[in-house]
Structures are given as structure tokens and as C-alpha cells.
Amino acid sequence: MAVGFAQWGNALHTGRTSYDIVGRRRLWFVIGGTLVFLSLVLLLLPGRGLNPGIEFRGGSQFTITGSSESSQQPAIDAVASISSEEAARVSTVGTSGVRVQTATLTADEVTEVRAALATAYDVPVEDVTSSFVGPSWGKDVSTKAITGLVVFLVLVTFVMTGYFRAWRMAVAALVALGHDLVITVGFYALIGWEVTPATTIGFLTILGYSIYDTVVVFDKVRENTAGVLDQSRSTYAELANLAVNQTLVRSINTSVVALLPVSAILFVGVFILGPGTLRDISLALFVGMLIGTFSSIFIATPLEVSLREREPKIAAHTARVLELRARAAETAAAGGDGATLAAATVGFGGHLLPGQHLGTAAQPKRRKTGRK
């Protein structure tokens, strides 16, 4: 299987096998746009939206340890017996712990809830700890996260524009970045898990991964399209599509290597340790990396090509290549041979059309013996 995957990767890199990813960009845009739309609906729909953790909304928290009972109903009943209007949020911590979160309670209510929880889970009162978390802490975290996000986006815009010398690549990368972030946040709204500071860290981390993966693909696009206007064999879109195919295996390998440890952490966080930092940060990373891989291949480069094709010089070059190709096809249909296409175009590296292979014509020529 490994050999077959390696051969497939080699075929993609040489152009022997090629998928028309850029040419089908409308399909990818529809898929990405639909996912973003559904995410926004989940976030803005009344009764849905994100489920902020106690760090963001504030309240009282109780932790029960050393209990042989880990079900949630005793905690709900215990809190309801003290404050009937209070809807407790209960989660299991490990195999012998239970965490209960409520709105802000008075000192007397905290004492009564501790006693009720100790009775419900048959543990000493000392095994029920309580703490109070103010909403200002979560507000401070949110403000700093938004500030960090804005600074990150501004720096990425300047760095990418300077590095690639093309602002359209920076725009395409930022759009892909927003696509990844909105879908990841929307997934949290879908499953209803609490958004904690660890979740926020996960959201910010996937920004770096998404940009990294996109930059690698864009680097190959820049390499393939250097001097694109000086030849008439391939259009800008075809050369960009070749770059996506050449980096496809690399993107898959990188994603698999990154997702495997994150999957292991997510499994431990969900099925062994229960709700906590590991679960929150690993889920955000898992979803973000998965979506980031999709966007770097199917959203960023196709969008960059759409923006570049609006440039008059790129549009004129594309029209010229297609016109030459049409003339060559007419000549071949009138009695020419397969070499007509090659004769009608000017050689430029070994770039190939999606799904076509030039065979030995695409290989480097051996220098003749004795030639200096």
C-alpha cells in the first residue's frame, strides 16, 4: 500500500496523473460556502450558538472527588433541592469525579449545595470543593484573543504580500483562513460542547496551521507560474493546478501525521479523562486541521487563480493559449498528427494539462556526448 501511495505521489508530481482541481473550483466554492453558511446559521440561530464555559459567563463550580457514583442525575437533583430555578451543568471528570457548575450562588447557598452533593454521592463534605469564577476573567481572555487574532491577520497580510509579491495570494489565504475558523466554531455550536479558554487556544492554533499549509501550496504555484507570460503552452490556471497536484500527497501526509496524535489526545480527553483542557483543545485542533487541509487544496489556490484571471495580462495570455490550442486542434483534425499541438506551442518546462501526459517529451534532454 505504501508503495502504491508513493507511486501515486510520483505520478502526480510528474503529471502522469492529474486531477482538474482548479478547473472545478465552482464545485469547491459551493461546498465551502455551504459549510460556512450552515455554520453561521448554527451560530446565529436562536436557541443554538456557542455554549460558553463558566470562565466566560461566571458562576459557582463544585467538584466531587472519590465517589463511586459518577452519574449526573444526583447532582442535578441536589442543586434543584436548594435552588429550584437553577439548572446545573454537570459533567463527569475521570472515573470518580463529578463537576457541577451553576450560576453565582450566595455563601449560604454554596454551603447548602456542598452538603447536598456530599449526601447525594455519599462522600464527606471535605471531598466537595467549591470555587467562584467571575465573568471578568473570561472577558479579559476574549479581548486578548480578539486582539491577537487581529494582529495575526494584519501581520499575515503584510508578510504574504511581501513574500509572494502578490496581494491576491494574501487575500486568498485570508479567505481560506476565515473559512476554516467559521466552520470550526460552527462545529462547536453544532455539538454544544462548552467553549473554554482551552478551546480558544485551539481556535488560534489552527490559524497558524491553516496558513502554513496554504503557504506551501502557494510556494509551488509561484514556482510553476514564474514566467508564465513568456510561453504559450499552458495557462496560469493549468500551471497552478499542476502545483496543487504536486503538493497533494505532501498535504495528505502532513495532515495524517498531525491528526494522528491529535486524535489520540481527543480519544483520551473524551473517553478517559472526561471534559477538560485536553478534550477542548484537541477537538478544536482536529476539526481545524481537517478543514484547513481541505481549504489549502480546494479553496485557497482556486480562489487565487480566479483573482489572477481578472488581471488583463493574465486574461489575454489565457485567451492566446486557448486560441493557439484551438488552431492546433483544427490542424490536427484536418490531417495533421499529434505533434501539431507541440509545434504550435512554445516549450516551457514540463508542465502538463490535467489528465494528460507528454511522455518522453516532458523529460529532461540528455546532453550529447562531446558537447561543451
Side-chain angles (χ1 to χ4, degrees), residues 69-79 88-93 97-100 117 121 275:
E69 175 68 50
S70 59
S71 59
Q72 301 179 1
Q73 191 58 44
I76 297 175
D77 295 339
V79 174
R89 300 186 181 192
V90 186
S91 55
T92 304
V93 181
V98 177
R99 184 173 60 194
V100 184
L117 290 174
Y121 286 92

Side-chain angles (χ1 to χ4, degrees), residues 103-326:
T104 304
L105 301 176
T106 63
D108 293 338
E109 289 175 332
V110 169
T111 303
E112 293 177 1
V113 169
R114 284 186 63 192
L117 290 174
T119 303
Y121 286 92
D122 192 22
V123 296
V125 177
E126 292 75 18
D127 289 346
V128 182
T129 59
S130 62
S131 59
F132 169 75
V133 181
S136 59
W137 189 84
K139 184 178 180 181
D140 186 52
V141 171
S142 302
T143 303
K144 290 182 178 178
I146 294 174
T147 304
L149 176 63
V150 172
V151 172
F152 175 80
L153 294 179
V154 171
L155 289 177
V156 164
T157 302
F158 281 106
V159 171
M160 291 196 68
T161 301
Y163 180 70
F164 291 109
R165 294 179 176 81
W167 62 267
R168 291 169 180 81
M169 284 191 170
V171 171
L174 292 180
V175 171
L177 194 64
H179 166 274
D180 301 343
L181 191 60
V182 171
I183 293 177
T184 304
V185 177
F187 186 80
Y188 259 84
L190 175 66
I191 63 175
W193 285 12
E194 286 188 346
V195 176
T196 65
T199 309
T200 306
I201 294 173
F203 290 159
L204 295 178
T205 304
I206 64 175
L207 300 180
Y209 178 84
S210 177
I211 285 292
Y212 168 75
D213 211 35
T214 302
V215 165
V216 171
V217 180
F218 279 178
D219 222 18
K220 193 63 181 176
V221 172
R222 183 180 62 170
E223 178 184 332
N224 284 2
T225 57
V228 61
L229 300 178
D230 300 329
Q231 52 86 43
S232 54
R233 185 177 184 176
S234 303
T235 65
Y236 183 89
E238 291 164 353
L239 296 175
N241 187 72
L242 178 65
V244 175
N245 278 271
Q246 289 176 328
T247 54
L248 186 59
V249 170
R250 177 248 165 229
S251 294
I252 294 175
N253 286 336
T254 303
S255 301
V256 170
V257 170
L259 286 175
L260 280 177
V262 173
S263 303
I265 296 173
L266 181 61
F267 179 84
V268 172
V270 173
F271 296 104
I272 298 179
L273 297 180
T277 302
L278 281 183
R279 192 192 73 166
D280 297 340
I281 196 171
S282 58
L283 179 65
L285 290 176
F286 184 85
V287 178
M289 287 180 176
L290 204 61
I291 298 299
T293 303
F294 170 79
S295 68
S296 64
I297 297 173
F298 297 100
I299 299 295
T301 302
L303 179 59
E304 194 270 343
V305 170
S306 296
L307 294 175
R308 288 300 304 271
E309 286 185 336
R310 293 176 181 274
E311 295 181 33
K313 58 182 180 182
I314 296 295
H317 174 264
T318 300
R320 181 162 57 91
V321 171
L322 296 179
E323 182 182 357
L324 287 174
R325 197 171 293 167

